[in-house]
Amino acid sequence: MPDAPDPPSPFVAAQRDRLRETARLGPCLDLACGRGRHARFAAQAGLRVVALDRNAESLRSVAAIARSEALAIAPLRADAESPLGLPLRAGRFGAVLVTRFLFRPLAPAIEGLLAPGGVLVYETFLARQRSLGAGPKRAAFLLDDGELARLFPHLDVLASEESLRNGGGGDAWLAGLVARKPG
Ligand SMILES: C[S@@+](CC[C@H](N)C(=O)[O-])C[C@H]1O[C@@H](n2cnc3c(N)ncnc32)[C@H](O)[C@@H]1O
């Protein structure tokens, strides 16, 4: 039996019902999924999930969990920073989950992946995280206050939060956004 990934972030877990409602629109993408804690969470909620990461070992672990728990997760190895873009069809996903990953130039493509009515759930570090002396240090990986919603100007904001909270693995300064593509 493979080791289960960490539990989902409470911010993502709180969106369970909203995510379930997106199942009719298309599968859910866990972008930069790591060991798949949110892919697993979404699949357990009844969604079909594509779990994308560039790390082959992480994806092997996601595949092992999917097999052992009979979850509908399709691992996909891809570089989200490739100048060629993502190997995914626009408008295909009912939901996109992104946690603890930031590549600002990808924001328009993330909007484009959502089907009309689809939901983005995004949570990642604020620059204030530096004050804790842990986590990412580079400006490219850290959000300014108020920036996350501005990266997705074509989505309607449903919830937005910036706080010191536990996103899994201890307290961190995190921005969270839940936003819907107009249908
Ligand atoms: C801090 S981990 C977060 C994993 C997961 N989202 C979570 O919250 O548990 C960042 C993940 O982003 C992935 N990653 C980093 N750069 C990437 C890229 N260019 N394309 C795809 N995945 C990438 C890493 O392999 C790693 O699994």
Side-chain angles (χ1 to χ4, degrees):
M1 177 105 66
D3 286 345
D6 291 337
S9 156
F11 183 81
V12 176
Q15 299 306 317
R16 186 174 190 273
D17 291 346
R18 208 192 296 273
L19 288 170
R20 283 170 65 98
E21 287 166 15
T22 67
R24 64 194 163 80
L25 301 174
C28 170
L29 173 66
D30 183 2
L31 180 62
C33 63
R35 295 188 63 243
R37 60 182 175 140
H38 296 126
R40 179 178 187 239
F41 164 76
Q44 286 172 338
L47 299 171
R48 288 171 292 125
V49 180
V50 176
L52 182 151
D53 205 283
R54 69 177 174 191
N55 185 302
E57 194 181 323
S58 297
L59 289 178
R60 274 196 288 277
S61 159
V62 173
I65 287 286
R67 265 196 310 276
S68 94
E69 300 186 8
L71 295 171
I73 303 175
L76 174 63
R77 189 171 182 202
D79 179 3
E81 298 171 40
S82 165
L84 300 175
L86 292 170
L88 296 166
R89 185 165 48 78
R92 175 181 165 201
F93 290 95
V96 177
L97 311 178
V98 193
T99 59
R100 298 185 177 226
F101 173 76
L102 181 63
F103 179 58
R104 288 176 173 84
L106 197 62
I110 291 173
E111 282 188 341
L113 289 173
L114 287 168
V119 169
L120 171 67
V121 180
Y122 205 130
E123 184 185 57
T124 199
F125 296 102
L126 288 161
R128 282 185 271 173
Q129 176 67 21
R130 287 200 190 102
S131 68
L132 302 181
K137 306 268 183 307
R138 286 177 49 193
F141 301 148
L142 295 166
L143 289 163
D144 294 327
D145 289 2
E147 184 185 0
L148 187 54
R150 288 200 300 273
L151 287 175
F152 301 99
H154 303 105
L155 304 185
D156 297 331
V157 175
L158 304 175
S160 164
E161 190 177 319
E162 294 182 338
S163 61
L164 179 65
R165 60 177 182 271
N166 191 336
D171 279 354
W173 277 103
L174 296 166
L177 175 73
V178 183
R180 193 191 304 279
K181 189 168 194 171

